[in-house]
Amino acid sequence: MTTGTLITVAPTGAESAKAEVPALPVTLDELLLTAKECEALGAAVIHVHIRDDEAKPTLDQGRLRETVAALRESTDLIVQLSSGGAVTDPEADRLAVLDAGPDMASCTMGTLNFGDDVFLNRWEFIVDLHTRMQERGIVPEYEIFDLGHLTALQRLLGKYGLPAGGHVHVDFVMGVPGGMPGTTATLVAAHQALRDLPEGTTFSATGIGRSTIPVMLASLSAGGHLRVGMEDTVTYAKGRPVESNMQLVARAVGFAQLAQRPPLTTAEARGLLGVPNAGR
């Protein structure tokens, strides 16, 4: 069991509208403030989606580069860009996310129903994303929305080799309508399936919406790590909207400390994940 806890903050996402969630950080200044606050509390990784001037999701290359540079200048956080974008984004734009030079990027391991939409991740696209990250020294976080995605990851690694940095880290995204449920039993099953992946593989877990707390507790008890943020839930408790990402990170830090697995520093997180120092 890992003695510390890697805490990732996912502050924005591509689903919630600013008009409906006023606390959502959508401008660069709002994102930087969130990043600094969450780093001070114990977050080590920031999972980034960006928005345009109308607060709509975008994969604009200029904005991505500006965001990566600003986060590196203002924080020591590991910058992880989403290659998922919004479900409507074309593959070419999703691959181009890597051109912004993040420390990490997400790599979703299969197609799934995503609420009323379809989140398309063809095998050829997954291979292209994985191999481009290998070539550029960008460390992937493999996003697992269903148990079959772990089998796809086993196939990917067997055919195309270990990721940049040599360490395999996955994130169980649980509770999306169309994906695996956010329950303890499901997390146990997913954790057991990790035995088929390279020795030393680590995992984080993300509980969407009301599954946030059960998933956090289950992940900590199984030796896993945590991803929290307003991308994944905008309700702190029944009838209580989230006031800030800092509120969610503070709760995750509190749970990690209760589990006697305090948050990893950014330097410790880089060592765990095989992420080079910024500005490599």
Side-chain angles (χ1 to χ4, degrees):
M1 181 178 289
T2 305
T3 55
T5 303
L6 174 71
I7 295 180
T8 299
V9 60
T12 307
E15 284 74 48
S16 296
K18 178 73 167 178
E20 298 171 358
V21 187
L24 195 73
V26 296
T27 68
L28 182 55
D29 286 344
E30 289 171 342
L31 182 64
L32 291 176
L33 178 59
T34 288
K36 292 175 186 176
E37 290 174 340
C38 293
E39 181 183 23
L41 286 170
V45 179
I46 184 166
H47 174 81
V48 181
H49 290 254
I50 61 171
R51 302 292 181 100
D52 62 17
D53 289 338
E54 296 179 348
K56 295 180 179 178
T58 180
L59 293 179
D60 177 78
Q61 187 62 216
R63 287 177 182 266
L64 285 170
R65 290 178 183 273
E66 182 184 16
T67 300
V68 171
L71 285 167
R72 284 198 175 131
E73 182 178 349
S74 301
T75 76
D76 291 324
L77 291 168
I78 296 169
V79 181
Q80 180 191 109
L81 292 183
S82 168
S83 70
V87 294
T88 53
D89 285 322
E91 290 180 353
D93 291 351
R94 293 170 60 191
L95 288 170
V97 163
L98 303 181
D99 295 340
D103 301 305
M104 298 183 71
S106 60
C107 181
T108 299
M109 287 308 305
T111 297
L112 74 151
N113 290 325
F114 198 95
D116 296 332
D117 299 306
V118 176
F119 185 20
L120 181 63
N121 294 280
R122 298 181 309 115
W123 175 249
E124 293 84 355
F125 172 74
I126 293 169
V127 170
D128 204 357
L129 190 58
H130 173 78
T131 54
R132 289 191 190 197
M133 282 197 268
Q134 284 176 321
E135 294 165 0
R136 302 180 190 202
I138 297 170
V139 175
E141 178 179 82
Y142 299 103
E143 305 288 350
I144 307 299
F145 286 81
D146 220 338
L147 294 184
H149 291 181
L150 288 169
T151 303
L153 178 55
Q154 183 184 11
R155 177 188 177 199
L156 180 73
L157 299 175
K159 280 181 168 284
Y160 298 98
L162 291 172
H167 177 78
V168 179
H169 181 73
V170 307
D171 180 45
F172 300 142
V173 185
M174 310 180 71
V176 171
M180 59 183 168
T183 63
T184 298
T186 305
L187 189 139
V188 169
H191 180 247
Q192 290 176 335
L194 292 179
R195 292 176 297 185
D196 296 326
L197 294 176
E199 185 177 356
T201 294
T202 54
F203 76 95
S204 295
T206 304
I208 303 300
R210 66 184 64 183
S211 68
T212 295
I213 291 177
V215 167
M216 276 198 291
L217 294 172
S219 184
L220 285 170
S221 68
H225 304 280
L226 306 178
R227 186 184 105 170
V228 297
M230 295 181 71
E231 172 172 351
D232 305 317
T233 182
V234 293
T235 302
Y236 188 76
K238 188 175 182 179
R240 289 182 57 190
V242 171
E243 298 171 5
S244 70
N245 283 285
M246 185 168 56
Q247 187 182 27
L248 297 173
V249 171
R251 180 166 64 183
V253 169
F255 284 179
Q257 290 171 336
L258 283 171
Q260 299 185 29
R261 292 183 48 209
L264 296 178
T265 67
T266 53
E268 290 169 338
R270 287 179 185 275
L272 173 70
L273 299 170
V275 176
N277 289 327
R280 58 190 182 281

